[in-house]
Amino acid sequence: MRLHTFVAAGIVCLAIALLPISSKKVFAQNAQSALPPLAEKALTLPAGYTIPPQDKPCILPGNKVDLQCLILNDPDFARVRAEEAGLEAQALVAAKSGSLDPFHAVQTLGELEIFDPNLSVNSNIACSYCHDPAAGYGNGASILSIFTGGANPGSVPITNHGKYPDNRIAKRNPQSYVYSPYFPPLQYNITQGDFYGGNFWDARASGYRLQNSSAEQAQGPPLDTQEMANPDQACIAYKLSLSQYKFFFEQVWGTGSLEINWPANVATICHTPKGAASLGGSATPLTLSPSDRTRAQQAFDEFAQAIAAYEIGSSVSPFTSKFDGYLASSNSLTAQELRGYELFRGKGTCNTCHLDGRSNTAMGGTDTGAATSVEPMFTDFTYNNIGLPKNTILPWYAENFPDQWGFTGNPLGIGFIDEGVGLFLDGYYGAPPNLTWGEHLPFFEGKFQTSTARNVGKVPYAGFVKAYMHNGYLLSLKEVVHFYNTRDAYPGAFVNGQCRPGTVEKVNCWPPPEDPNNENMTIGHLGLTNAEENDLVAFLKTLTDGFVQTSSLTSTPASTIRKPATPPGR
């Protein structure tokens, strides 16, 4: 068992001690690892990809990147910032129009919040900075997919001379939040012996307090040390009170909802990154009266509920894919896409987790099911360990030194093991809201959310490199399908940290899983041919929203056409 340090150690350790677990989980990881050093492997650029000239000065030896250089120069970053500013301005015009009904008003407020960089500790990144609408609300920079596993730099630069990375950066590839409001609050089903619902890769946005997992997901990044890094949730209320849409927030949630008696040092505190030694480890460094603290908490909850309203609207979760049209009999699929659909619910076993409302025929028999809805979610809302290898290129593994604020992001360095739901249940983020969940920890180590397959093929332009899975190890839908197909097909190809001569990683050689606990064995040796893999990829691309039909007989996917952010009815 690996160990982590609890934020609420006393309470949680007592609770765990009382649980009926024969082999109790202990809470720290071994800082040693048999894995090769960070970024030791040679890096091969994806076929057809060329590093933009603007980025070449940002590439460092050893497959590392100068993150500050990329922030200033990368064309994808420039595109994302321009989109962000345009959508923020568009939402502000709508907010000032005075013509929005209550439903669209709260959605528009969420839109304003998602695209507002001023809500971060250094007023430099918005939620959309890591969740690009044009990339399916995931990482929007090809260069990061390749060199950081899709992990995005957060609000806080690291100024220690000669240190890598030169910016606090997340430990995972940012998860898309399309259709996330359809995930229910996390619950443990005793009959099935499984967790259902929740959000984030590791279920920590449980929805336990607000009974809205999407809203609690929205509250994560603003307070995450590696992302927006606000030191106190009340800082969000403070920054909302200074925003150009304060009037609209109070229009939606009530006059005076942001009227709080702020201490004289509020600006200083709210521009000090979370984790700074000067804050003394306090999660509430702002000194507020009980009534003001209650009002700040309420405003933070309302902030999150508005984002959840935006995410469930037609801008983020619209059900406008080619496949949706096929289910509604308004368009057809090509012969290749139909073959891929048959594989998806048959030999590929995909719909045993990414539910589409149909039976699966992998074990023989015929599909006797019928889609129960014209809007299947393509997930079963559970968590799985698919045996993904460790992606040692993540800069997170090098962030094992104190930055200029005295904060160390990852003290374990390369020894850190991402246990997914295991991190949440064993207290990595603090005590789980329901302490009885801890007894299920041994069965959920290594598991990550079975995200919806919707919009997995959405990219901002042809040739964009998209990172897949929680650590961005796979860089195309073809690689994803090939991994599911052949993970276990080449035993002995990976030996002593290397692929044997004559083999190629991700082709006929796969490293072992980062965490072997609870590995899903229904995949890994599916026996799909190369042509069948391509058929599956073709089908997955039909799940991209923004499809445009060109005639009653033919239709064309519009992967580069952005659906307007304005909800219908504006």
Side-chain angles (χ1 to χ4, degrees):
M1 292 288 187
R2 296 191 266 302
L3 301 194
H4 286 299
T5 302
F6 259 126
V7 175
I11 296 175
V12 179
C13 287
L14 174 61
I16 296 297
L18 297 175
L19 294 176
I21 307 177
S22 58
S23 177
K24 295 183 179 68
K25 176 76 174 178
V26 284
F27 305 105
Q29 288 185 351
N30 188 342
Q32 303 301 316
S33 173
L35 291 171
L38 178 68
E40 179 180 289
K41 300 174 184 175
L43 187 147
T44 302
L45 296 178
Y49 177 80
T50 301
I51 295 174
Q54 304 96 309
D55 288 351
K56 289 185 177 179
C58 309
I59 308 301
L60 305 175
N63 304 329
K64 300 176 181 178
V65 286
D66 182 333
L67 293 169
Q68 291 301 310
C69 176
L70 290 179
I71 290 168
L72 292 174
N73 297 292
D74 179 65
D76 277 328
F77 277 131
R79 174 185 55 78
V80 169
R81 284 193 295 265
E83 288 177 354
E84 181 179 284
L87 290 167
E88 178 81 347
Q90 173 183 297
L92 188 60
V93 169
K96 291 179 177 179
S97 69
S99 62
L100 297 178
D101 59 64
F103 175 77
H104 290 109
V106 70
Q107 285 192 341
T108 300
L109 177 60
E111 184 176 4
L112 284 163
E113 294 168 351
I114 274 181
F115 296 109
D116 185 358
N118 294 309
L119 297 180
S120 61
V121 71
N122 285 319
S123 302
N124 55 351
I125 66 167
C127 299
S128 56
Y129 189 75
C130 303
H131 300 278
D132 175 22
Y137 292 88
N139 165 48
S142 287
I143 198 74
L144 294 183
S145 296
I146 298 166
F147 284 93
T148 72
N152 274 237
S155 182
V156 183
I158 293 176
T159 59
N160 303 38
H161 179 69
K163 289 293 187 178
Y164 177 81
D166 61 349
N167 205 95
R168 292 191 190 176
I169 189 167
K171 64 179 174 290
R172 295 177 181 146
N173 179 30
Q175 188 175 22
S176 169
Y177 49 69
V178 294
Y179 300 95
S180 62
Y182 290 90
F183 282 70
L186 189 67
Q187 53 203 282
Y188 184 77
N189 185 293
I190 297 175
T191 302
Q192 298 296 326
D194 215 344
F195 278 107
Y196 290 84
N199 265 307
F200 284 130
W201 287 115
D202 54 19
R204 72 184 186 275
S206 67
Y208 192 83
R209 188 174 66 85
L210 296 179
Q211 286 302 293
N212 184 329
S213 59
S214 179
E216 288 191 14
Q217 180 189 52
Q219 292 181 325
L223 304 179
D224 193 302
T225 57
Q226 307 307 109
E227 299 183 50
M228 300 172 87
N230 288 284
D232 189 316
Q233 64 184 24
C235 290
I236 299 301
Y238 170 67
K239 292 173 183 180
L240 288 168
S241 74
L242 301 178
S243 71
Q244 56 186 340
Y245 53 90
K246 174 191 176 184
F247 76 95
F248 193 57
F249 188 98
E250 295 198 325
Q251 178 182 315
V252 170
W253 297 116
T255 301
S257 53
L258 291 174
E259 295 303 321
I260 295 170
N261 297 305
W262 300 109
N265 65 347
V266 61
T268 299
I269 294 292
C270 290
H271 287 90
T272 301
K274 186 173 183 177
S278 62
L279 300 176
S282 174
T284 55
L286 285 176
T287 302
L288 299 175
S289 69
S291 61
D292 283 330
R293 176 60 66 179
T294 297
R295 181 167 291 183
Q297 174 70 68
Q298 182 176 344
F300 188 50
D301 291 345
E302 291 164 344
F303 154 85
Q305 289 162 346
I307 287 179
Y310 174 65
E311 291 175 350
I312 205 170
S314 60
S315 296
V316 181
S317 307
F319 296 97
T320 57
S321 71
K322 186 177 186 180
F323 185 73
D324 289 310
Y326 169 76
L327 287 182
S329 301
S330 61
N331 59 257
S332 60
L333 300 182
T334 68
Q336 184 183 33
E337 291 164 350
L338 284 170
R339 291 195 303 270
Y341 183 31
E342 293 300 315
L343 291 164
F344 185 88
R345 55 198 177 103
K347 186 178 177 180
T349 70
C350 309
N351 76 340
T352 58
C353 294
H354 297 279
L355 305 183
D356 65 340
R358 304 301 298 267
S359 307
N360 185 271
T361 62
M363 302 306 292
T366 58
D367 179 5
T368 59
T372 57
S373 169
V374 294
E375 297 179 346
M377 291 309 306
F378 287 94
T379 177
D380 61 2
F381 304 107
T382 67
Y383 297 80
N384 272 279
N385 180 3
I386 63 169
L388 204 66
K390 191 168 188 169
N391 191 1
T392 57
I393 203 169
L394 287 164
W396 167 255
Y397 292 118
E399 204 177 331
N400 59 347
F401 57 90
D403 63 18
Q404 73 274 20
W405 297 97
F407 173 76
T408 302
N410 176 22
L412 295 174
I414 192 65
F416 176 85
I417 303 296
D418 195 342
E419 299 171 353
V421 179
L423 291 184
F424 166 56
L425 295 181
D426 75 10
Y428 182 82
Y429 304 101
N434 184 339
L435 295 179
T436 65
W437 288 344
E439 66 182 282
H440 308 299
L441 171 60
F443 309 104
F444 288 90
E445 275 194 59
K447 291 189 176 184
F448 293 84
Q449 187 184 77
T450 303
S451 301
T452 176
R454 287 179 171 275
N455 284 310
V456 290
K458 189 172 180 64
V459 291
Y461 54 84
F464 180 83
V465 180
K466 191 167 185 173
Y468 290 91
M469 307 306 175
H470 71 275
N471 64 6
Y473 178 73
L474 304 171
L475 296 180
S476 69
L477 282 176
K478 174 68 172 180
E479 282 191 2
V480 170
V481 172
H482 189 61
F483 175 76
Y484 275 75
N485 183 30
T486 66
R487 182 195 68 193
D488 304 329
Y490 312 111
F494 195 86
V495 180
N496 296 325
Q498 301 291 335
C499 287
R500 286 189 182 277
T503 65
V504 178
E505 188 170 342
K506 298 186 181 183
V507 177
N508 56 0
C509 172
W510 295 103
E514 175 175 7
D515 190 331
N517 290 288
N518 306 304
E519 188 174 4
N520 186 325
M521 301 306 294
T522 64
I523 63 169
H525 205 336
L526 301 177
L528 300 173
T529 66
N530 182 63
E532 287 175 327
E533 288 185 356
N534 293 336
D535 291 345
L536 258 176
V537 169
F539 169 70
L540 290 171
K541 290 181 178 179
T542 71
L543 304 180
T544 300
D545 285 319
F547 174 73
V548 176
Q549 183 174 334
T550 58
S551 74
S552 60
L553 296 178
T554 61
S555 48
T556 305
S559 60
T560 59
I561 298 176
R562 297 261 324 280
K563 181 177 177 63
T566 306
R570 279 196 185 165

